[in-house]
Amino acid sequence: MKYQIPKGTFDILPYGADEPWKLSALWQYVEQIVRQTAIDYGYREIRTPMYERSELFDRGVGETSDIVMKEMFTFEDKGGRLISLRPEGTSSVMRAFVENNLAQLGPVHKFFYIAPMFRYERPQSGRYRQHHQFGVEALGVAGPAQDAEVIDLLCETYRRLGLQNLTVELNSVGDLESRQSFRDALQAFLRPYFNELSEDSQSRFEKNPLRILDSKDPKDRDILKQAPSILHSLSEKALEHFNELKRLLDSCRIPYRVNDRIVRGLDYYNKTVFEVTANVLGAQNALGGGGRYDGLIATFGGPDLPGVGFGTGIERILQTMIAQSVPLPKEPAPLVYWLPLGDEARRTCFTLATECRHRKIFAEIDLQAKKIQTGLQNATRLNAQICVIVGSEELAKGTAQIKHLESRRQEEIPLDQLIDYFVAINQKQAERI
Ligand code: HAM
């Protein structure tokens, strides 16, 4: 029997990946940068289980959302409980926040996570059944400065990663009052066209008409051209929040474009919503998105604290970096490649290689070397700087042949001086960085 990876998933490999964004060194690099950026903005890491009781997402993401209706990996556990692999991070973070009574520990809480998410979607380029998100959630501040901080953090993360030509699209879906009045206006506008709408949009007409706004169906989009704008239905408070957010973004020189068609696919949003798109991503062009979700914590039985956050897909970040030819970090390479020939030499080199490693020198050893030529090829393939060759002749003399692989320079050094020699090189190179 031949085993195959499940549809819509992929392996992240150290080498040999069929596409460069699946190389683990790149994932480590991106994870390191997003983590540091979040820390620099005062966010702390939170880790929650990969699965939750399904009702959490029904409540949080919303029963009428596509995610809950069509895309959750849901199963019954042996105890008869309905469990879902998490499709997104916000609901889980809110659950953890409430369950652990973190609200008692201060007025403001800022979390980040880097974690896999699961959505049973039709796989295509940029869309997977297991994807990974870097996300943040800022709880406790109702004012628009918190929204601006979150948006700036997202943009700064992309900037530090070297991404270019991104567009921040900004909208407000208002508070409950604004949405109620917009819902009526939108339904009134769409009613005469009902029979011309796509099947999906028809089914959303009663339950969730706002979602019709981001329909991808060309006929729907044509009809929607004349649709009213949610920005005209904003309550005075929601409008003031939106205007102040725009002022703050302007003053920080964060470019954005107001797009009143952005409604997002999760039901918990109110007031601010935003999406960042990359022109190189094709149909799945959303690099990241988020918004405000005041009231969500209270829905989960916690205190009535406001919140705002974002999630950004790591796959799409890497694909954008590669499409934009962003300079990528070089993989770390061994300083020393030990190449012992024969059992006795292997014993000696193994001890010395171990000593190197204990001194924090990146050292590799060829434990089954037979021929110098193959050993040298392996060392070159790994981009090692120096190859140490020890055969019976060298052992008899108590020395090693040192080959500098780039310059091809060769020298003979006594075995008992080797460690000091490598420690000195390692130190010099560390100082240069
Ligand atoms: P979302 O827009 O559903 O938001 O997902 C965030 C990002 O995850 C997307 O912009 C995209 O880059 C990536 N993504 C989503 N689905 C897939 C997929 N199937 N394959 C590859 N990448 C994908 C949320 O999940 C919210 N929890 C964000 C948030 C946090 N809002 C407030 N706080």
Side-chain angles (χ1 to χ4, degrees), residues 88 90 119 121 126 128 131 133 137 264 268-269 286-287 309 313:
E88 61 108 37
T90 313
R119 296 183 189 178
E121 295 192 82
Y128 307 94
H131 73 278
Q133 275 187 31
E137 314 294 347
R264 312 263 309 128
Y268 47 63
Y269 292 112
L287 201 53

Side-chain angles (χ1 to χ4, degrees), residues 61 67 71 87-91 94 113 117-119 121 124 126-138 158 264-266 268-269 274-276 281 284-293 308-317:
V61 177
I67 293 181
E71 296 170 1
E88 61 108 37
T90 313
S91 305
M94 296 312 116
Y113 47 88
M117 308 290 165
F118 306 86
R119 296 183 189 178
E121 295 192 82
Q124 61 183 81
R127 197 205 270 159
Y128 307 94
R129 290 189 175 163
Q130 172 175 342
H131 73 278
H132 300 74
Q133 275 187 31
F134 162 51
V136 311
E137 314 294 347
Y158 294 143
R264 312 263 309 128
L266 305 100
Y268 47 63
Y269 292 112
F274 55 90
E275 260 170 28
V276 180
L281 278 179
Q284 300 303 317
N285 67 352
L287 201 53
R292 183 164 274 284
Y293 45 82
V308 51
F310 67 69
T312 175
I314 300 187
E315 291 78 4
R316 294 188 193 174
I317 288 181

Side-chain angles (χ1 to χ4, degrees), residues 6 12 26 32 50 54 78 96 99 145 181 199 207 289 359 392 432:
I12 300 170
L26 299 184
Q32 183 198 332
M50 249 180 256
S54 303
K78 289 191 170 44
E99 194 169 352
S181 82
E199 219 175 291
K207 280 185 271 174
R359 303 273 205 115
S392 49
R432 234 185 286 149

Side-chain angles (χ1 to χ4, degrees), residues 261-281:
R261 294 298 191 251
I262 300 248
V263 286
R264 312 263 309 128
L266 305 100
D267 287 356
Y268 47 63
Y269 292 112
N270 43 56
K271 296 190 181 141
T272 311
V273 288
F274 55 90
E275 260 170 28
V276 180
T277 53
N279 56 357
V280 291
L281 278 179

Side-chain angles (χ1 to χ4, degrees), residues 410-422:
Q410 198 156 326
E411 53 188 324
E412 193 165 342
I413 296 187
L415 285 170
D416 58 4
Q417 291 176 21
L418 275 177
I419 297 290
D420 287 345
Y421 178 82
F422 293 136

Side-chain angles (χ1 to χ4, degrees), residues 64 66 69-70 183 186-225 227 261 263:
T64 58
D66 278 0
M69 289 206 309
K70 306 182 197 159
R183 193 191 149 99
L186 187 62
Q187 278 178 331
F189 167 81
L190 288 173
R191 197 161 280 117
Y193 301 102
F194 184 84
N195 291 330
E196 293 162 53
L197 289 174
S198 67
E199 219 175 291
D200 261 354
S201 293
Q202 287 186 354
S203 73
R204 284 172 174 150
F205 186 84
E206 287 302 337
K207 280 185 271 174
N208 199 350
L210 262 67
R211 282 308 309 270
I212 298 178
L213 283 181
D214 64 6
S215 163
K216 301 274 180 286
D217 183 276
K219 188 95 190 283
D220 289 354
R221 290 181 82 96
D222 214 36
I223 297 171
L224 286 164
K225 276 187 190 143
R261 294 298 191 251
V263 286

Side-chain angles (χ1 to χ4, degrees), residues 70-106:
K70 306 182 197 159
E71 296 170 1
M72 288 223 287
F73 280 88
T74 298
F75 58 96
E76 206 180 282
D77 73 4
K78 289 191 170 44
R81 289 169 285 259
L82 214 52
I83 299 289
S84 294
L85 300 185
R86 69 173 163 222
E88 61 108 37
T90 313
S91 305
S92 304
V93 173
M94 296 312 116
R95 197 258 322 127
F97 179 75
V98 173
E99 194 169 352
N100 293 287
N101 292 315
L102 297 187
Q104 286 179 346
L105 301 178

